[in-house]
Amino acid sequence: MKDRKLLMIPGPIEFTPEVMRAMGMPTTSHVAPNFIEAFGQALERLRRVFLCPSGQSFVVAGSGTLAMDMAACNLIEPGDRALVVNTGYFGDRFGAILERYGATVAVVNAPAIGDAPALEDVEAALKSDDYKLMTITHVDTSTAVGANVKGLAALGRRYGTLVVVDGVCAVAGEEMRQEEWGIDLALTASQKAIGVPPGLALVVAGPRAMEAFHSRETPVGNYYADWTLWMPIMTAYEERRPSYFGTPAVNLIWALNVSLGQILDEGMDARFARHRKLSQAFKAAVEALGMKQVPVSPDKAAVTLTAPYFPEGVDRTMLGTVKENGVIVAGGLHPAIKAQYFRVGHMGVVSGSDVLATIGAIETGLAKAGYGFEAGAGLAAAQAVLTT
């Protein structure tokens, strides 16, 4: 019997065999010529995945929270005003990080859990004060809400505010065109749609963000995350020269370069379209099974993630049955509704077959929990989308 479970959580995700082989290579020196070449390629490829040809790439050992920390500490000085567009748990986190570096933070909250602030409300906030920076969580993993990043970024540019996008659960899955949309800094982590095991914080800073950094009047308040120390390292690797500040995560960077190459071989437009179809298929299955979702409407729902509420009479013990049937999904995260819903990630290398396997395991879990539904309804709904 196959012991390995299909991992369908919001991250870490499934990885390709080529990425895992890179992880298992003998570890080289961080200044070995072949590693310098791989790191330099990865930095160049990152711009192409973020669709930001004029950006500055940063690849640093750490989590997505470190990437948020890097954005805040390098762009914020004490007394700066920042605006957080909040759609859940990770909007709260970004606000707390900004405050840690001395920002005065204002928040535009969603009117309800599963909703997103209206563009008019964000514009009203931007009109009301002079904000140096605005943060947007592209996909809040706690609510599966996808923000209108294009519209919000346009507002930020209109009011002269730096636009920072937390793309941890979005980049390389959700459509994002950093340079075209006027996003000044975008960030993610390796274990999501980028398709590499956890351990890398990934940031691409555009020209306006770098200008703001170079115009600082105070030192950066975080030693490890300070771009002053990392810029020479990134520049050296792109120029294929050895350099040192902190030892890079060698095998993770080997794997990152492999994964970025695979993403670019697929093509960004094709990748966005594939993720949309997988998402539509999964959400069609959820609807066919009579389950509601945390996002209040389809236009607020993320592409990379689905968050169904448990049906009446079913609780999180159902997830154990799903696991017994070969698939791991995630429980709830948002504190206010944690026990009421679960989360399924469908990003990166995930295929239509993986989606169908997950839906089948969920149907089995629902049936065992005593929930009444037409057997196979979810599978049929998903297949109808996948075969169009």
Side-chain angles (χ1 to χ4, degrees):
M1 187 166 111
K2 182 171 82 70
D3 186 48
R4 191 184 180 286
K5 313 293 185 186
L6 178 62
L7 191 60
M8 295 291 286
I9 65 174
I13 64 168
E14 294 282 331
F15 309 117
T16 67
E18 294 82 7
V19 165
M20 296 312 295
R21 278 198 292 273
M23 287 295 297
M25 290 170 53
T27 301
T28 63
S29 163
H30 59 287
V31 293
N34 58 349
F35 175 72
I36 291 171
E37 179 62 30
F39 200 170
Q41 280 186 6
L43 291 164
E44 293 161 355
R45 286 171 168 173
L46 206 61
R47 290 191 191 91
R48 294 169 61 195
V49 168
F50 280 64
L51 296 173
C52 189
S54 65
Q56 171 61 54
S57 301
F58 294 91
V59 176
V60 177
S63 69
T65 302
L66 174 65
M68 297 166 75
D69 209 30
M70 290 183 77
C73 76
N74 286 286
L75 297 181
I76 286 293
E77 297 185 71
D80 286 341
R81 296 191 63 80
L83 183 67
V84 173
V85 181
N86 194 327
T87 51
Y89 181 94
F90 289 96
D92 294 341
R93 176 172 293 188
F94 224 147
I97 293 170
L98 291 163
E99 287 177 342
R100 183 67 61 92
Y101 293 108
T104 300
V105 176
V107 181
V108 184
N109 284 307
I113 294 171
D115 207 343
L119 289 179
E120 310 88 77
D121 293 338
V122 175
E123 183 168 19
L126 289 168
K127 280 181 178 177
S128 71
D129 212 329
D130 184 20
Y131 293 102
K132 181 178 184 180
L133 178 152
M134 174 174 70
T135 69
I136 306 159
T137 309
H138 197 159
V139 173
D140 197 296
T141 321
S142 72
T143 58
V145 169
N148 178 359
V149 170
K150 185 177 182 180
L152 290 165
L155 284 177
R157 293 302 281 246
R158 187 181 307 164
Y159 290 92
T161 302
L162 292 172
V163 177
V164 173
V165 173
D166 168 3
V168 168
C169 195
V171 171
E174 300 269 351
E175 182 176 3
M176 184 195 73
R177 302 177 186 276
Q178 183 174 347
E179 194 156 308
E180 180 184 328
W181 291 0
I183 298 164
D184 296 297
L185 182 147
L187 62 93
T188 191
S190 54
Q191 76 274 14
K192 306 282 187 173
I194 287 289
V196 177
L200 294 176
L202 309 173
V203 175
V204 176
R208 290 205 322 157
M210 295 308 300
E211 181 183 351
F213 165 71
H214 288 303
S215 300
R216 292 181 65 93
E217 296 180 356
T218 59
V220 173
N222 182 314
Y223 182 79
Y224 180 64
D226 187 351
W227 287 347
T228 308
L229 301 169
W230 284 113
M231 273 290 298
I233 310 305
M234 302 299 119
T235 299
Y237 277 108
E238 284 209 60
E239 293 176 352
R240 306 309 194 262
R241 295 185 287 107
S243 192
Y244 171 75
F245 165 55
T247 304
V250 171
N251 284 63
L252 280 167
I253 290 170
W254 277 110
L256 175 67
N257 193 40
V258 170
S259 188
L260 293 175
Q262 292 174 334
I263 291 168
L264 292 169
D265 285 346
E266 181 177 8
M268 298 312 298
D269 288 339
R271 191 172 180 87
F272 297 148
R274 177 171 63 82
H275 279 79
R276 281 193 295 270
K277 177 162 275 196
L278 292 172
S279 183
Q280 289 162 4
F282 197 89
K283 289 172 173 61
V286 167
E287 184 177 352
L289 292 169
M291 291 189 289
K292 295 180 179 178
Q293 296 176 49
V294 174
V296 297
S297 59
D299 63 307
K300 303 291 171 58
V303 167
T304 53
L305 174 65
T306 301
Y309 282 108
F310 293 111
E312 188 175 350
V314 178
D315 61 26
R316 62 176 294 117
T317 58
M318 181 204 92
L319 304 185
T321 307
V322 174
K323 184 176 180 180
E324 288 170 6
N325 282 270
V327 181
I328 299 172
V329 298
L333 177 62
H334 195 290
I337 56 170
K338 189 171 183 177
Q340 300 173 38
Y341 75 112
F342 64 102
R343 298 172 298 145
V344 180
H346 31 73
M347 68 188 95
V349 73
V350 166
S351 67
S353 297
D354 296 327
V355 166
L356 294 173
T358 303
I359 295 163
I362 289 171
E363 287 202 14
T364 302
L366 291 171
K368 188 171 180 180
Y371 176 61
F373 65 97
E374 181 186 346
L379 288 165
Q383 285 178 317
V385 174
L386 293 171
T387 55
T388 55

